[in-house]
Amino acid sequence: MGKEHSAVSGALSESALEYASIDSIGGTVSSLRATFASGQTRSLDFRKQQLRALLAGMRAEKKALLDAVLLDLSKSAIETDMYEFSAVEFEIGLMLENMDKWARPQRSWLSMLQPVFLMSRSELRREPLGTVVIIGAWNYPIRLTLLPLVGALAAGNTVVVKPSEISSHTAVAIEHMIGKYMDQSVVRVVQGAAHETGELLKQHFDHYFYTGSGGVGRVVAKAAAEQLAGVTLELGGKCPAIVHADVGDLTPTAARIMWAKLTNAGQTCVAVDYVLVHRSVKDRLVDLLKEAAVGLYGESTSKSPDYGRIINDRNYKRLKDLLDRTEGTTIFATEDGFDEHDRFFPPVIVDGVQDSDSLLTEELFGPILPIVVYDTLDEAIAMVNSRDQPLALYVFAASASAQHVLAQTRSGGACVNDTMFHLASHGSPFGGVGPSGVGNYTGQYSFNAFSHHRHVLLRPLWFPSPGIDTIRGAPFSGPENEWKLKLCRPMAYPAVRPLRDSFFGRLVTFFPLWRLLAILPGFIVALFTAKPLIRRRK
Ligand code: NAD
């Protein structure tokens, strides 16, 4: 394993991960449900206390958390701090700063195009969902477990956190941190593998948030369906990078692709999985990709303290097997070969890969970069579209070509002339589409994902009751009741459009007041002349 390991505390070198007993899981969830039912978490001050406790715990246990990731993935502490720890810290700050605003009921007057809503107001309340479960993944074990937790707490839920047992050291460090610094009646950690997670999924949750493979994603979605609860599924897929002939500068292109391939030894859900490159620039790109690998980790990647290791033997063998079966030409990007004992997998470029190759069958999740050549942009687009929608799509091309690719493809997110950086923005949603995921999160999107959007209609009782109450229901028959339809149905958009599209129409419809005035006389007459549904008793 990586050289930095000797600096890691002895206590962590042997993972002390203990799985929850199956019998205890129901009780843990019930106690969190009881806390939620008490109404405690509705208070914004209470939620902020939870977030501050999480921040304090993370800061106090920072070394233990970073050391744990080093033991699990041999990732450099700076990389973990940059991509995981700081991202969660930032998210907590963002929530504390904005949650008052995001939680405030959004009031608005109802559309003037629906006359029946005259004098009514609409309120959108973002309310907690209840007790939610967050099932984390191992490749960025701090980020993928704690980032959704921030949103869940800010939105006022009680939470069960299930870290991935595969990154066992980090799972222990997270449990220790949450147990020591956070209110156990609000957030609890349940440890375990498939068996324990299966038991957890049998419990009644109000939302299921899962990060990992599509196979387990289906298991989680079925569990949520049993409870008729919502899901957020953060899944994976094969993310392509298209490099077109009109790209311009290939040097930054190669650097950005290789960075995305080798970060965390390729074990990143939005890593470039394969490159689709125009024939005219292929050779130059391959040369530059090799240079980029050396530039990032040196001639001997295995000696770099910054290059990660494959998480476990199972994944190492899977990658080796995929590479053994390829019909492309394997090019070692640096001078190292394989070291199975250390789970060191060198950066490998595979040239001349055909559509049917073993490397294009499943998500690689490792430092193997297949290169597929195309002749026309539409050919590249067709190759992308013949597979599941990816979590991310990268296109390196002149603006018109890039726009053409974006218009013809689907993906969770995308970058033009860059890779992976789109998920660094906490102001934008992160998530997949179709087989790469359901729903999204980070920043306000997390707050929304863990909230119920409750629409409340507020209307006064004093407003002409005979009219308002008579409009809504039977009797409908007879010409004397035709006015109900006219006033009750929304003014159809096609009907207002010709008016709106003329200059005069724009002037008039610009002000809602004018629109209101146009319908008001008929409406008021109807309101006051309608026969009351129930005669008032004297
Ligand atoms: P996984 O899907 O095997 O496991 C993830 C979690 O599911 C673990 O907590 C595990 O205990 C639990 N689990 C495993 N088997 C289960 C079962 N049968 N029943 C119930 N629970 C079970 O994790 P993985 O496949 O190693 O993760 C890699 C995948 O995750 C890749 O496809 C990657 O792209 C994707 N991923 C996506 C994101 C994202 O943000 N979209 C992030 C990281 C990883």
Side-chain angles (χ1 to χ4, degrees):
M1 279 286 185
K3 299 189 302 299
E4 288 182 33
H5 284 187
S6 55
V8 175
S9 77
L12 275 175
S13 56
E14 280 291 309
S15 161
L17 180 59
E18 272 179 36
Y19 291 178
S21 79
I22 295 293
D23 298 341
S24 68
I25 292 175
T28 302
V29 179
S30 305
S31 74
L32 292 171
R33 293 196 78 78
T35 308
F36 183 77
S38 75
Q40 250 183 317
T41 64
R42 293 217 166 214
S43 142
L44 284 171
D45 284 340
F46 182 84
R47 301 183 204 178
K48 285 180 194 165
Q49 268 172 30
Q50 307 308 311
L51 290 178
R52 290 201 187 96
L54 177 59
L55 188 60
M58 283 181 63
R59 287 183 174 161
E61 299 291 321
K62 181 169 181 175
K63 185 167 181 328
L65 287 164
L66 299 191
D67 284 352
V69 178
L70 179 64
L71 282 169
D72 285 327
L73 286 146
S74 221
K75 243 194 281 192
S76 102
I78 290 181
E79 191 176 316
T80 306
D81 193 347
M82 199 156 63
Y83 298 152
E84 301 202 56
F85 193 91
S86 301
V88 181
E89 246 186 340
F90 181 83
E91 182 92 342
I92 296 173
L94 191 76
M95 288 292 170
L96 288 171
E97 187 72 23
N98 290 292
M99 57 191 277
D100 286 321
K101 187 171 70 201
W102 294 339
R104 198 175 296 141
Q106 234 177 312
R107 299 203 170 104
S108 59
W109 291 96
L110 279 149
S111 166
M112 300 294 184
L113 290 173
Q114 284 182 274
V116 282
F117 287 127
L118 200 66
M119 300 308 295
S120 309
R121 280 190 315 159
S122 169
E123 216 175 71
L124 184 69
R125 294 166 177 246
R126 290 186 183 83
E127 300 190 341
L129 290 167
T131 301
V132 304
V133 60
I134 293 170
I135 303 175
W138 53 263
N139 57 333
Y140 289 84
I142 298 176
R143 181 189 178 110
L144 298 174
T145 315
L146 299 184
L147 204 60
L149 175 63
V150 176
L153 291 173
N157 302 284
T158 54
V159 191
V160 171
V161 173
K162 211 308 270 167
S164 173
E165 75 284 8
I166 295 173
S167 45
S168 58
H169 295 92
T170 316
V172 172
I174 287 175
E175 183 177 17
H176 174 74
M177 187 264 295
I178 288 181
K180 185 165 171 194
Y181 291 90
M182 300 204 64
D183 184 339
Q184 294 297 288
S185 69
V186 177
V187 52
R188 293 281 289 275
V189 174
V190 170
Q191 302 282 17
H195 185 46
E196 291 73 16
T197 314
E199 183 61 28
L200 194 55
L201 290 175
K202 284 187 204 151
Q203 310 302 315
H204 180 188
F205 288 105
D206 300 290
H207 193 82
Y208 296 72
F209 190 107
Y210 166 79
T211 304
S213 65
V216 178
R218 284 186 177 84
V219 175
V220 175
K222 276 184 196 149
E226 282 296 321
Q227 304 294 345
L228 294 179
V231 281
T232 306
L233 301 177
E234 295 286 331
L235 311 176
K238 290 183 83 63
C239 304
I242 298 178
V243 182
H244 196 46
D246 60 8
V247 57
D249 196 347
L250 278 171
T251 307
T253 301
R256 290 168 195 194
I257 290 175
M258 217 46 184
W259 165 69
K261 182 83 248 185
L262 299 185
T263 296
N264 200 18
Q267 300 164 108
T268 306
C269 55
V270 285
V272 172
D273 191 274
Y274 61 104
V275 174
L276 286 163
V277 58
H278 190 268
R279 193 177 297 281
S280 63
V281 290
K282 194 269 287 176
D283 290 341
R284 175 95 182 105
L285 182 73
V286 171
D287 287 345
L288 287 170
L289 286 169
K290 281 190 275 178
E291 279 182 38
V294 174
L296 283 162
Y297 296 103
E299 283 292 351
S300 175
T301 324
S302 60
K303 295 203 182 87
S304 165
D306 298 324
Y307 188 76
R309 298 296 185 268
I310 301 303
I311 184 77
N312 54 25
D313 293 339
R314 186 173 65 85
N315 270 306
Y316 195 93
K317 288 195 175 80
R318 180 185 61 83
L319 283 168
K320 193 73 181 30
D321 177 56
L322 286 171
L323 192 61
D324 288 344
R325 288 192 289 122
T326 182
E327 289 180 2
T329 311
T330 301
I331 303 165
F332 287 87
T334 57
E335 65 183 30
D336 301 287
F338 299 94
D339 182 348
E340 195 168 340
H341 177 68
D342 192 25
R343 291 202 299 276
F344 167 79
F345 204 102
V348 170
I349 298 165
V350 184
D351 199 359
V353 170
Q354 301 297 316
D355 210 15
S356 55
D357 198 274
S358 60
L359 296 177
L360 296 185
T361 52
E362 60 180 75
E363 182 182 352
L364 293 174
F365 227 51
I368 305 173
L369 187 60
I371 308 289
V372 185
V373 171
Y374 68 82
D375 290 303
T376 66
L377 198 51
D378 286 337
E379 204 184 304
I381 290 169
M383 281 193 219
V384 172
N385 289 341
S386 68
R387 303 192 149 75
D388 287 341
Q389 298 101 292
L391 184 56
L393 179 142
Y394 308 116
V395 50
F396 291 83
S399 178
S401 307
Q403 290 303 329
H404 180 63
V405 171
L406 293 176
Q408 300 296 321
T409 54
R410 287 181 294 167
S411 65
C415 293
V416 174
N417 295 332
D418 208 340
T419 53
M420 303 211 298
F421 250 91
H422 61 301
L423 68 84
S425 158
H426 292 243
S428 316
F430 175 63
V433 58
S436 58
V438 175
N440 49 51
Y441 76 129
T442 68
Q444 190 173 5
Y445 295 90
S446 273
F447 192 86
N448 287 342
F450 286 107
S451 299
H452 167 58
H453 295 209
R454 186 181 190 185
H455 174 218
V456 180
L457 171 69
L458 298 150
R459 61 191 341 185
L461 268 176
W462 57 261
F463 194 65
S465 162
I468 279 288
D469 295 330
T470 309
I471 282 176
R472 67 181 81 201
F476 294 120
S477 53
E480 70 276 18
N481 285 308
E482 271 172 18
W483 63 276
K484 288 183 181 175
L485 175 63
K486 283 195 191 121
L487 288 179
C488 209
R489 78 169 169 203
M491 285 165 76
Y493 276 95
V496 252
R497 259 191 80 185
L499 180 72
R500 230 183 24 197
D501 290 351
S502 68
F503 173 73
F504 178 70
R506 265 184 213 164
L507 208 68
V508 172
T509 54
F510 183 70
F511 302 104
L513 185 63
W514 285 108
R515 266 190 260 162
L516 180 63
L517 287 180
I519 55 150
L520 205 54
F523 186 60
I524 290 176
V525 170
L527 283 179
F528 287 97
T529 55
K531 207 167 73 184
L533 275 185
I534 309 170
R535 275 197 194 289
R536 280 188 192 280
R537 298 213 175 107
K538 295 248 162 75

